[in-house]
Amino acid sequence: EVQLVESGGGLVQPGRSLKLSCAASGFTFSNYGMAWVRQAPTKGLEWVATISYDGSSTYYRDSVKGRFTISRDNAKSTLYLQMDSLRSEDTATYYCARHGGILRGWGQGTLVTVSS
Amino acid sequence: DVVLTQTPPTLSATIGQSVSISCRSSQSLLHSNGNTYLNWLLQRPGQPPQLLIYLVSRLESGVPNRFSGSGSGTDFTLKISGVEAEDLGVYYCVQSTHAPDTFGAGTKLELK
């Protein structure tokens, strides 16, 4: 069973940084692409970034390009999202999900609040 | 980016009623590899999304068979044959055929 546990969220001031983690288990992490998806309060789901199984390819939504960096450590079965220059509009619950054409194994998410 | 249009935005149902949700895509979701990466998620109140249906019509493990998916190309439907109380929440279609992944705006299923 795919299990994903996000962590690292919290309250942060605009312009500051935060690093999210996603610990994976129940599958061979190094075989799959991974994604971050976020959900602003009372809003729908929004794709943020994707990384290939080996970390060689990364993709970002336009609004986070140059500010967010997705990465992974296959030895630790862990996915990361480094978020710099945070803005109020980045306030959301961030979920990681296993990719491969199907977003599967959603964790509970971690809440990021950007506010002064 | 591919736009997914879900209808209706809100659905009121009684327990036992059968309901359908439509998801229309701005372009065909048939991938060059022959798969159609159109999936359905359910987000219950206060919970993370969960996968219900993948590749248009395949039921995720553990999901009751009152859920079914159908469609092809640009038109897709999720059907619930006999709504139960635990089915209440917001349903999303999501496509992964064309990068980036995009989501429908959601359909909120509530009790009438």
Side-chain angles (χ1 to χ4, degrees):
Chain A
E1 179 187 359
V2 177
Q3 291 197 333
L4 300 167
V5 179
E6 303 91 342
S7 61
L11 174 62
V12 61
Q13 293 179 328
R16 303 298 290 265
S17 299
L18 209 57
K19 187 172 186 176
L20 307 183
S21 299
C22 167
S25 62
F27 65 102
T28 304
F29 183 72
S30 58
N31 285 354
Y32 289 89
M34 297 292 295
W36 287 99
V37 175
R38 68 185 179 185
Q39 185 172 36
T42 74
K43 300 297 184 182
L45 299 167
E46 178 178 84
W47 168 80
V48 175
T50 300
I51 188 167
S52 61
Y53 71 100
D54 60 356
S56 62
S57 299
T58 57
Y59 311 88
Y60 302 92
R61 70 179 300 106
D62 287 347
S63 62
V64 308
K65 275 180 188 175
R67 300 189 299 121
F68 289 13
T69 303
I70 188 172
S71 62
R72 64 190 298 158
D73 185 335
N74 283 347
K76 295 182 178 179
S77 296
T78 302
L79 175 72
Y80 302 101
L81 186 67
Q82 175 69 44
M83 304 186 294
D84 299 323
S85 303
L86 281 161
R87 305 168 181 169
S88 57
E89 55 263 36
D90 296 320
T91 293
T93 296
Y94 285 73
Y95 299 100
C96 63
R98 193 182 81 178
H99 213 295
I102 303 164
L103 291 168
R104 180 178 263 134
W106 300 70
Q108 288 295 316
T110 187
L111 176 62
V112 173
T113 303
V114 184
S115 175
S116 54
Chain B
D1 296 358
V2 172
V3 176
L4 297 180
T5 302
Q6 273 186 250
T7 55
T10 304
L11 199 47
S12 295
T14 56
I15 300 300
Q17 182 180 352
S18 292
V19 298
S20 293
I21 299 169
S22 170
C23 178
R24 290 189 169 176
S25 174
S26 59
Q27 57 185 280
S28 174
L29 298 183
L30 177 63
H31 194 278
S32 57
N33 66 10
N35 288 327
T36 298
Y37 295 99
L38 186 285
N39 311 311
W40 290 94
L41 309 173
L42 164 61
Q43 187 172 32
R44 296 186 175 97
Q47 296 297 312
Q50 67 170 103
L51 181 66
L52 293 178
I53 301 279
Y54 62 97
L55 297 177
V56 180
S57 60
R58 301 187 188 183
L59 204 62
E60 177 71 342
S61 176
V63 174
N65 60 12
R66 61 180 178 274
F67 291 94
S68 62
S70 62
S72 64
T74 61
D75 288 346
F76 303 92
T77 301
L78 174 70
K79 182 176 181 180
I80 309 173
S81 299
V83 169
E84 298 193 6
E86 65 181 22
D87 301 338
L88 303 184
V90 181
Y91 291 81
Y92 295 95
C93 55
V94 51
Q95 71 82 26
S96 299
T97 295
H98 304 286
D101 299 66
T102 50
F103 297 83
T107 295
K108 184 176 183 180
L109 177 61
E110 54 189 26
L111 276 181
K112 189 181 293 183

